[in-house]
Amino acid sequence: MKKILSLILALSVVKLIIHFIGNQNYGFHRDELLHLSVSEHLDWGYFEFPPFIALAGKLSHFLFGYSLFGMRLFPTLAGITILILTCLIAIEIGGRKKAVLLSGVLILVFIPFYRNHLLFQPVAFDQLFWTLSFYYLVRFLKTEAHKYLLLLGISLAIGFLNKYTIVILIVAILIGLLVTQKGKIIKNKWLYSTGFISFCMVLPNLIWQMRHHFPVLKHFQKLNEKQLDEIGTFDFILDQLHSPFTFIIAIIGLITIFFDVEIKKYKAIGITFLVVFFAMWILKSKTYYFYAIYPVVFAFGAYKVEKMLLTKNVVFYSLVSFLVLISVYFIPEAIPVLPIEKYVDFKKIKPNSEGRYILTGDYADMFGWEEQVKIIDSVYQTLSDKQKKECIILAENYGEAGALTVLGEKYNLPKPVCSHGSFWLWGTGTTSGEITITLGIEKEIIEKVFEEYQLIKIIHHKYAIEEENNIPIYLCKKTKIKLKKIWPSLESHVFD
C-alpha cells in the first residue's frame, strides 16, 4: 500500500509542477475577474452562478490578496484531488498498482483538464464534487454503509452550491439506484434523511433565487440564445472524440461496468453515465460540462486494462508511455507553460494586417486588462479632489468591471459601476456621477447620457480578444440621465 500511495503522490506532484509553471503566466482571465469581484459581496447567490465560487474567492483574497498564482492554486488543488480520488476509486473496485498508475496518467493526459484546473471558475470545483460524489457512491455500493449515502448527499449539495448542472447528476444517480436496487433503495430511510439534509443545505440559495425572480433561468435562456443554439445535433458527441485515446479507455470502463461480473454491483454508475450523457446531449450542453463524469470511468477503464494486460508488462507500460508522449505536444494549448512570444512561435501564429495575433478565446481573454486599468487610473489622477468625490467609473461589461475591481485595488480606484450581470446588484455607488470615466461604452450611448464628453483614448492590444480591442475611454460631465433613476429598469438587460 505504501508503494501505491507513493505512486499517487508522484502523479500529483507531476500535475502540480505543470500547473506551477503555467498558472503564473499571462494575466487574469475575464471570468476570473468576475469571480474575484463577487467575493467582495458575499451572498447566497448571484445572477450567473451559486455562491461557492465567491466564498473560494474570499478565501483566496484573504490568503494571497489578488494574486494570480494564489488564486489559481485553488482550481489546481481541486484538479489534484480529482486525480487522487480517481486512483482511490480504482483501488476500491479492486485495482492494483497498474490500475492506479493508469488512472492517474489518464487524468494527466486528458488535455482539457489543464484548462479546467487552471482558471478560477466553478468548472474545476464542479468536476471535484462530481468525482467525490462518485467515490462515495462506489463506497456505498461496495459496503452498503449508510454513512456513504449521507456523504454522497452532502457532496452533491455542496456541488449544487457551486454549479447548477450537478442537478443532472443527482437525477441520474437516483435513476441508477432505482433501476438497480428497485424497492431496496426506496425502503432505505437514509435516502430520505440524506435528501432532507441536502435540501436544507441548498435552501438558502433557492430562497435567494426566488427573491430575485430566478435569474438563473434568464441566464440559461440567454446562454441558449447566444451559444447553445449554435451547437449542432451531433457536435456534443463528436467533441468527445477530441481526446480519442482517453475516450477509448473511458468506453472500456463503461463496458466493464455493465459486463464484468466481478464488479456487477456498480451497474448503477453505468446507468448514471448513460443518463447524464443523453440528458446533456438532448439539452445541447457545452462539451466541458460532461468532462466531470470522465474520472470515474477512467478508473473502471484502468481496472479493466490492468486485468487484460496483467502479465504483459511491456505492452502495459508501452501504452502508458504512448499516452504521456502524445499528450506533451498539446499541453501548451491548454495551459500557458510557454511565454506568449514562444507560444506564438510554437503555434506559428502570424500577425494580421492590424498587427494583432489571434489567440484562442481563453488565452486572448487574459490580455489587455492591466493596460485598461492603468489608463483609467491616469485619467482619474488628473481630477481634482472635489471631482474625485463626484466621480463614477462606468464599465460596459463584467470583464472590464472586474478588472477595475481586482486590478484597480493597487491603484486605490473607486469600485466601478456596471449593469452587466451580477454587477447590477451592487448599484450605482455613493457618488453623484457628475464626473464619469467610461470604459468600453460607445459614443452613441455617451451622447444620450452626457452633455459634455471627451474621448481620451482608443485602446488597442495585439493579444487581447477582439471584444476588448478598439474600446474607447471617455471623460464625461453633466449627465442628462440620472443612473440611480434608470438603474431598476436595467435589470432586464443584465445578460445582454
Side-chain angles (χ1 to χ4, degrees):
M1 191 63 180
K2 286 184 178 180
K3 290 183 178 180
I4 290 180
L5 291 176
S6 298
L7 178 59
I8 295 173
L9 177 61
L11 293 166
S12 301
V13 169
V14 171
K15 184 169 178 63
L16 180 61
I17 290 172
I18 294 172
H19 280 276
F20 181 84
I21 297 169
N23 284 10
Q24 51 196 323
N25 285 333
Y26 307 174
F28 288 94
H29 186 278
R30 170 192 305 272
D31 292 349
E32 293 176 321
L33 295 168
L34 170 63
H35 299 141
L36 288 176
S37 296
V38 299
S39 72
E40 297 191 357
H41 305 268
L42 290 182
D43 205 341
W44 277 106
Y46 303 94
F47 281 171
E48 303 92 339
F49 37 72
F52 182 89
I53 193 69
L55 185 61
K58 179 64 76 174
L59 180 59
S60 170
H61 185 261
F62 174 76
L63 294 174
F64 306 108
Y66 284 136
S67 159
L68 184 68
F69 180 79
M71 171 200 66
R72 288 180 174 170
L73 183 62
F74 285 79
T76 295
L77 291 176
I80 291 172
T81 306
I82 289 168
L83 185 153
I84 294 170
L85 286 169
T86 305
C87 293
L88 292 178
I89 291 172
I91 293 171
E92 289 295 331
I93 62 178
R96 299 180 181 178
K97 183 180 176 181
K98 290 179 182 176
V100 171
L101 172 62
L102 184 55
S103 295
V105 167
L106 288 169
I107 299 296
L108 288 175
V109 302
F110 189 62
I111 298 300
F113 277 167
Y114 285 104
R115 187 268 188 195
N116 298 155
H117 305 158
L118 162 75
L119 299 178
F120 187 74
Q121 297 176 325
V123 178
F125 305 110
D126 182 52
Q127 293 169 355
L128 170 61
F129 291 122
W130 279 59
T131 308
L132 182 62
S133 297
F134 276 117
Y135 172 74
Y136 287 135
L137 181 58
V138 165
R139 292 290 292 159
F140 172 69
L141 295 173
K142 180 180 180 179
T143 67
E144 297 188 349
H146 300 311
K147 65 179 181 180
Y148 293 115
L149 190 61
L150 177 60
L151 290 170
L152 169 61
I154 292 172
S155 175
L156 291 169
I158 300 174
F160 180 91
L161 293 173
N162 172 69
K163 193 170 177 66
Y164 294 122
T165 49
I166 206 168
V167 170
I168 296 174
L169 177 62
I170 295 171
V171 173
I173 288 175
L174 287 173
I175 292 173
L177 290 174
L178 287 170
V179 170
T180 57
Q181 299 200 357
K182 299 181 175 63
K184 186 177 180 181
I185 191 66
I186 295 175
K187 295 176 183 177
N188 190 334
K189 63 181 181 180
W190 280 87
L191 176 67
Y192 304 100
S193 299
T194 297
F196 177 75
I197 293 171
S198 300
F199 177 74
C200 290
M201 290 176 65
V202 305
L203 183 58
N205 176 252
L206 296 177
I207 293 173
W208 187 95
Q209 283 285 338
M210 183 173 61
R211 286 179 175 174
H212 292 80
H213 315 294
F214 291 96
V216 64
L217 299 180
K218 297 176 185 176
H219 187 227
F220 284 150
Q221 181 184 356
K222 281 293 182 182
L223 186 66
N224 190 63
E225 292 173 1
K226 292 181 178 180
Q227 299 179 30
L228 301 185
D229 272 354
E230 299 175 2
I231 298 175
T233 303
F234 297 102
D235 287 354
F236 180 79
I237 298 175
L238 295 174
D239 286 347
Q240 308 305 322
L241 303 178
H242 287 172
S243 302
F245 301 108
T246 51
F247 179 75
I248 290 170
I249 297 179
I251 293 301
I252 290 173
L254 180 63
I255 294 171
T256 299
I257 293 171
F258 282 107
F259 298 105
D260 191 320
V261 294
E262 293 183 17
I263 56 171
K264 60 182 180 180
K265 64 170 71 75
Y266 303 113
K267 195 168 292 186
I269 293 174
I271 294 172
T272 299
F273 181 98
L274 293 177
V275 171
V276 169
F277 176 81
F278 285 108
M280 288 191 173
W281 181 22
I282 292 168
L283 292 171
K284 291 187 175 181
S285 297
K286 293 183 178 181
T287 306
Y288 70 83
Y289 291 178
F290 190 66
Y291 294 161
I293 207 169
Y294 275 124
V296 67
V297 286
F298 283 166
F300 279 92
Y303 162 84
K304 187 62 177 180
V305 170
E306 180 183 54
K307 286 182 65 177
M308 294 166 58
L309 303 178
L310 192 61
T311 59
K312 300 177 181 178
N313 290 339
V314 174
V315 177
F316 177 82
Y317 289 110
S318 296
L319 170 64
V320 171
S321 300
F322 172 77
L323 290 172
V324 171
L325 291 173
I326 203 169
S327 70
V328 171
Y329 175 83
F330 298 99
I331 289 177
E333 296 183 13
I335 182 171
V337 292
L338 299 176
I340 186 60
E341 295 81 7
K342 290 185 178 180
Y343 175 76
V344 167
D345 291 339
F346 171 72
K347 295 297 294 181
K348 296 180 173 58
I349 301 173
K350 303 297 182 182
N352 62 15
S353 58
E354 299 175 353
R356 295 187 58 240
Y357 295 83
I358 308 303
L359 306 177
T360 60
D362 281 330
Y363 282 179
D365 252 334
M366 296 179 191
F367 291 95
W369 309 113
E370 187 72 48
E371 289 77 8
Q372 291 179 14
V373 176
K374 282 181 180 179
I375 296 171
I376 291 291
D377 177 63
S378 68
V379 177
Y380 183 73
Q381 296 306 327
T382 65
L383 303 179
S384 66
D385 290 341
K386 181 177 182 297
Q387 288 175 320
K388 287 180 179 179
K389 291 178 181 179
E390 299 174 341
C391 181
I392 283 177
I393 301 178
L394 190 62
E396 193 271 336
N397 62 53
Y398 75 78
E400 294 156 4
L404 290 166
T405 300
V406 175
L407 303 176
E409 184 183 58
K410 62 187 175 186
Y411 297 100
N412 293 316
L413 287 172
K415 298 302 180 185
V417 173
C418 180
S419 63
H420 193 200
S422 290
F423 278 94
W424 178 89
L425 292 167
W426 309 314
T428 59
T430 57
T431 55
S432 66
E434 288 303 314
I435 303 291
T436 302
I437 304 171
T438 68
L439 174 61
I441 299 176
E442 298 300 329
K443 184 179 180 181
E444 293 79 7
I445 298 175
I446 297 292
E447 290 175 330
K448 294 177 182 178
V449 179
F450 301 98
E451 292 183 11
E452 298 180 12
Y453 55 89
Q454 176 189 356
L455 177 63
I456 302 298
K457 189 177 182 64
I458 300 289
I459 301 178
H460 308 276
H461 196 288
K462 65 180 180 179
Y463 296 127
I465 198 167
E466 180 63 29
E467 183 181 344
E468 298 301 329
N469 257 292
N470 301 315
I471 61 170
I473 292 178
Y474 284 93
L475 177 61
C476 309
K477 300 178 183 179
K478 296 182 181 180
T479 58
K480 298 178 184 178
I481 303 171
K482 297 295 183 183
L483 271 179
K484 289 183 185 298
K485 288 185 178 180
I486 66 168
W487 202 253
S489 67
L490 298 178
E491 182 179 7
S492 60
H493 300 283
V494 295
F495 296 125
D496 290 351

